[in-house]
């Protein structure tokens, strides 16, 4: 039952006044970061600005309270923006509420059945592809407000291609004043982090945008011009459950559940690396389910763990779920006291903030690196997932991407399989029997193909404080993919951090080609690749003695 115990309850056993003070400060800072983002993401999702705050308050509090991570901060995220906008446009708010509740129930069931560890079966190429695709859809969706375009023909585009078409069809309504506000705010967002890291650039951009419009009397749409601001407390509302409605929103509910699971657990893994901790994946899924049900019942939208806000929490000193709960309470106070002032925020400023959100989440560097270095099968899955996300939607992209990844993996494995007669003579040059391993050297042997479903086993590799050299024996690894390479790069980062020399023994042809194309061999150094275990041990012993 330890895996189903909220991290908050475990942390309370040794909680101190000093940590409480740090958590409060961290919670306040994260709330300042979350405020403009929650409003911007709500507008990008096709709902009112206050609904983004509702989500951060309700879902943020519940997920921190019940969650399996010490520092996870939850709320509306960019990954859901296009999905939510599509549901609202086709099914209305009732459809969104119902889909979010069903998604929450799915997440709870996934956690209870211990599906937390199964998320590793989503290939790295697919997560990179659809994340980049979502970033593009967010970017395109904000062209209208950034350039002050008005849809004069009554268009209500939903798909990315429709939004792009409507934008160019109405390009003659371009508003130069809106574009100036957008460009200035975007410049603030880019430059401000170099000037100060204590105050979020999004808050400064909001202040600059409001001042420009008001002081210069610029003809630019604000939130108040397009939306009715509600500063009241979130109100409980139960949607009507009918079989027909549930059937209509079920595919969207499944997409929300899968995406929430993937993003929240990825955020947990990132946070674990920052604080040297381990999250409880199944409890985190249950908490995500509870948080999404609560968010929907109180007027919010889908929520999940937010990597940027989680990182801000860690950097600000937050180390327990109390910081996430404080962040929600602070946002509740802001909602009651300051929400009417949100009407003054110019729409180009919101668009500029979302441009930066899209840039930060697009992962263009990993995308380009994979296109340059990954096996052709992985590149195919990556590009197809990206294109389908942009042209169609995330549901189609994940479905096709997973089927294609499985088919290509089976083809890859079949190519590596061979049948041969027995050999009664073991290679004496590559035998580990009765080998002497120095105290400061650790040896791990990997058996079987390293692909997206098995690459997580690399996380079982551990080192001691006194370890100076780590040997990875790979004579039984016939193939490796880009997900496994991502794990090997993380292992290399760990060794660099701890000043540990990393040596590979007996790397086969296909893994060596992948390592060479990705630049991993040059990073480690060719001198750290040994033909057999004897040579690897000699290299390690020589290094330890020196």
């Amino acid at each position: 039952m330890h895996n189903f115990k909220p991290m908050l309850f475990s942390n309370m056993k040794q909680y101190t006044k000093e940590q409480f003070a740090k958590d409060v400060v961290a919670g306040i800072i994260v709330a300042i970061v979350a405020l403009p983002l929650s409003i911007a993401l709500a507008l990008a999702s096709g709902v009112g600005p206050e609904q983004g705050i509702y989500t951060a308050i309700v879902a943020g509090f519940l997920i921190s309270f019940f969650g399996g991570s010490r520092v996870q901060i939850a709320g509306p995220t960019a990954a859901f923006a296009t999905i939510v906008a599509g549901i609202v446009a086709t099914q209305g708010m009732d459809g969104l509420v119902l889909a979010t509740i069903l998604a929450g129930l799915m997440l709870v069931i996934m956690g209870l059945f211990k599906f937390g560890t199964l998320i590793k079966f989503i290939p790295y190429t697919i997560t990179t592809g659809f994340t980049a695709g979502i970033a593009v859809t967010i970017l395109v969706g904000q062209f209208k407000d950034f350039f002050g375009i008005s849809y004069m023909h009554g268009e209500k585009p939903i798909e990315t291609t429709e939004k792009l078409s409507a934008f160019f069809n109405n390009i003659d309504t371009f508003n130069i004043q809106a574009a100036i506000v957008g460009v200035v705010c975007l410049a603030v967002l880019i430059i401000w982090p170099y000037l100060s890291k204590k105050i979020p650039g999004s808050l400064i951009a909001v202040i600059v945008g409001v001042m420009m419009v008001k002081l210069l009397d610029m003809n630019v749409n604000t939130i108040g011009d397009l939306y009715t601001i509600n500063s009241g407390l979130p109100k409980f509302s139960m949607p009507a459950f009918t079989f027909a409605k549930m059937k209509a929103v079920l595919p969207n509910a499944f997409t929300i559940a899968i995406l929430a699971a993937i993003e929240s657990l990825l955020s947990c893994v990132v946070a674990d690396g920052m604080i040297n901790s381990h999250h409880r994946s199944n409890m985190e899924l249950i908490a995500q389910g509870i948080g999404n049900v609560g968010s929907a019942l109180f007027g919010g939208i889908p929520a999940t763990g937010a990597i940027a806000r989680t990182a801000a929490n860690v950097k600000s000193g937050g180390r327990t779920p109390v910081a996430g709960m404080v962040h929600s309470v602070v946002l509740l106070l802001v909602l009651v006291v300051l929400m009417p002032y949100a009407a003054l925020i110019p729409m180009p400023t919101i668009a500029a903030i979302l441009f930066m959100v899209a840039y930060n989440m697009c992962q263009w560097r990993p995308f380009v690196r994979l296109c340059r270095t990954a096996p052709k099968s992985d590149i195919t899955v990556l590009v197809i997932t990206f294109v389908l996300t942009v042209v169609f939607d995330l549901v189609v992209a994940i479905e096709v991407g997973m089927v294609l990844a499985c088919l290509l993996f089976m083809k890859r494995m079949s190519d590596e399989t061979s049948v041969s007669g027995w050999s009664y003579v073991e290679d004496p040059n590559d035998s580990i029997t009765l080998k002497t391993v120095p105290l400061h050297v650790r040896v791990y042997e990997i058996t079987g193909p390293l692909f997206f479903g098995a690459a997580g086993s690399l996380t079982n590799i551990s080192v001691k404080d006194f370890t100076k050299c780590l040997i990875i024996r790979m004579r039984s690894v016939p193939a490796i993919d880009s997900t496994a390479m991502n794990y090997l790069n993380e292992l290399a980062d760990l060794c660099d951090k701890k000043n540990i020399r990393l040596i590979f023994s007996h790397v086969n042809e296909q893994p060596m080609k992948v390592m060479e194309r990705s630049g991993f061999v040059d990073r480690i150094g060719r001198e750290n690749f040994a033909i057999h275990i004897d040579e690897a041990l000699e290299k390690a012993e020589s290094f330890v003695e020196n």
Side-chain angles (χ1 to χ4, degrees):
M1 291 301 292
H2 177 74
N3 289 331
F4 294 106
K5 184 178 182 180
M7 195 64 77
L8 175 67
F9 300 166
S10 298
N11 290 161
M12 287 299 99
K13 294 178 180 179
Q14 298 176 331
Y15 201 58
T16 63
K17 294 180 180 178
E18 291 78 10
Q19 186 56 55
F20 176 71
K22 292 179 180 178
D23 286 339
V24 169
V25 172
I28 293 172
I29 293 174
V30 173
I32 295 172
V33 174
L35 177 62
L37 285 177
S38 298
I39 293 174
L41 292 169
L43 297 179
S45 301
V47 298
E50 70 277 1
Q51 286 166 307
I53 307 295
Y54 293 166
T55 307
I57 292 170
V58 179
F61 188 91
L62 291 174
I63 291 172
S64 290
F65 187 89
F66 292 104
S69 170
R70 291 171 57 185
V71 293
Q72 178 90 286
I73 301 295
T77 63
F80 286 124
T82 53
I83 299 172
V84 172
I87 298 173
V88 171
T90 56
Q91 304 287 340
M93 279 303 300
D94 287 342
L96 175 62
V97 171
L98 186 57
T100 307
I101 291 175
L102 291 177
L105 295 177
M106 290 179 190
L107 285 164
V108 172
I109 293 171
M110 290 166 64
L112 292 175
F113 281 89
K114 299 182 179 181
F115 281 12
T117 56
L118 297 183
I119 300 300
K120 67 183 179 183
F121 289 100
I122 305 294
Y124 179 63
T125 45
I126 290 181
T127 57
T128 303
F130 75 63
T131 301
I134 290 170
V136 171
T137 61
I138 291 172
L139 188 73
V140 172
Q142 297 309 306
F143 284 173
K144 173 182 177 290
D145 290 327
F146 190 86
F147 296 104
I149 301 296
S150 299
Y151 290 164
M152 305 302 293
H153 309 294
E155 297 99 331
K156 293 183 179 180
I158 299 175
E159 303 295 339
T160 304
T161 51
E162 294 175 349
K163 291 177 180 178
L164 202 57
S165 176
F167 172 77
F168 285 111
N169 288 338
N170 294 277
I171 195 68
D172 55 327
T173 64
F174 171 75
N175 183 343
I176 184 63
Q177 293 186 7
I180 291 173
V181 173
V183 169
V184 171
C185 291
L186 187 59
V188 170
L189 290 165
I190 295 172
I191 298 171
W192 183 259
Y194 295 99
L195 303 177
S196 173
K197 296 185 182 297
K198 294 183 179 180
I199 303 175
S202 55
L203 186 62
I204 302 301
V206 166
I207 295 172
V208 170
V210 171
M211 291 178 65
M212 285 182 68
V213 172
K214 285 299 177 184
L215 297 180
L216 301 178
D217 193 26
M218 303 178 79
N219 181 27
V220 176
N221 280 335
T222 64
I223 292 178
D225 294 330
L226 304 180
Y227 299 91
T228 301
I229 302 295
N230 181 9
S231 60
L233 295 174
K235 295 180 180 179
F236 180 85
S237 177
M238 177 66 74
F241 282 81
T242 65
F243 180 76
K245 288 184 177 180
M246 291 175 63
K247 183 179 179 180
V249 302
L250 195 59
N252 290 318
F254 180 75
T255 303
I256 292 171
I258 293 298
L259 189 55
I262 294 172
E263 190 165 3
S264 63
L265 294 182
L266 284 176
S267 179
C268 285
V269 171
V270 172
D272 286 348
M274 296 178 72
I275 62 173
N276 193 26
S277 179
H278 293 284
H279 70 279
R280 297 166 186 166
S281 58
N282 296 312
M283 191 64 235
E284 183 63 25
L285 290 181
I286 293 173
Q288 292 290 333
I290 294 172
N292 274 280
V293 171
S295 176
L297 292 176
F298 285 91
I301 59 178
T304 186
I307 295 177
R309 276 158 272 176
T310 299
N313 180 34
V314 172
K315 292 177 181 178
S316 301
R319 290 296 181 273
T320 76
V322 172
M325 295 159 65
V326 170
H327 134 269
S328 296
V329 172
V330 172
L331 285 176
L332 179 64
L333 297 175
V334 170
L335 174 69
V336 175
V337 178
L338 300 177
M339 195 59 187
Y341 295 101
L344 302 176
I345 302 175
M347 294 305 295
T349 300
I350 295 294
I353 292 173
L354 289 170
F355 277 2
M356 289 303 297
V357 169
Y359 175 79
N360 290 330
M361 75 174 291
C362 72
Q363 301 188 65
W364 68 269
R365 289 183 179 88
F367 193 101
V368 172
R369 188 185 71 244
L370 285 172
C371 288
R372 292 173 56 190
T373 64
K376 291 181 179 178
S377 57
D378 284 349
I379 296 174
T380 301
V381 173
L382 173 72
V383 174
I384 288 178
T385 304
F386 169 76
V387 172
L388 290 177
T389 302
V390 175
V391 177
F392 295 100
D393 59 44
L394 194 61
V395 181
V396 175
I398 293 179
E399 288 175 351
V400 174
M402 282 299 296
V403 171
L404 191 59
C406 291
L407 291 175
L408 290 173
F409 167 71
M410 288 187 285
K411 174 65 168 58
R412 183 186 298 160
M413 290 302 97
S414 66
D415 290 343
E416 293 296 328
T417 302
S418 62
V419 179
S420 59
W422 282 17
S423 175
Y424 292 94
V425 180
E426 182 179 355
D427 181 1
N429 293 323
D430 205 29
S431 175
I432 193 66
T433 307
L434 302 179
K435 298 294 183 185
T436 300
V437 179
L439 175 63
H440 298 287
V441 178
R442 287 181 73 82
V443 180
Y444 278 87
E445 180 161 358
I446 304 173
T447 303
L450 278 174
F451 66 106
F452 58 83
S457 60
L458 291 172
T459 59
N460 295 328
I461 295 176
S462 62
V463 293
K464 303 293 184 181
D465 292 337
F466 53 81
T467 301
K468 295 182 179 179
C469 191
L470 174 64
I471 298 176
I472 307 296
R473 198 182 193 205
M474 297 181 63
R475 65 172 181 170
S476 299
V477 179
I480 187 173
D481 71 359
S482 53
T483 303
M485 279 306 310
N486 190 53
Y487 277 94
L488 285 176
N489 274 300
E490 291 178 358
L491 178 63
D493 290 339
L494 175 65
C495 290
D496 289 342
K497 184 178 180 180
K498 294 181 176 291
N499 198 27
I500 296 173
R501 183 177 181 181
L502 186 58
I503 298 176
F504 289 84
S505 168
H506 199 147
V507 180
N508 291 309
E509 183 179 357
Q510 194 273 353
M512 180 58 80
K513 285 183 178 179
V514 175
M515 288 181 174
E516 288 176 339
R517 288 188 63 189
S518 66
F520 187 78
V521 172
D522 293 332
R523 174 186 176 179
I524 300 300
R526 289 187 179 274
E527 68 276 11
N528 291 317
F529 285 79
I531 297 176
H532 53 74
I533 193 65
D534 287 338
E535 182 183 351
L537 287 170
E538 289 174 4
K539 289 176 179 287
E541 187 172 2
S542 175
F543 176 76
V544 171
E545 289 176 354
N546 293 332

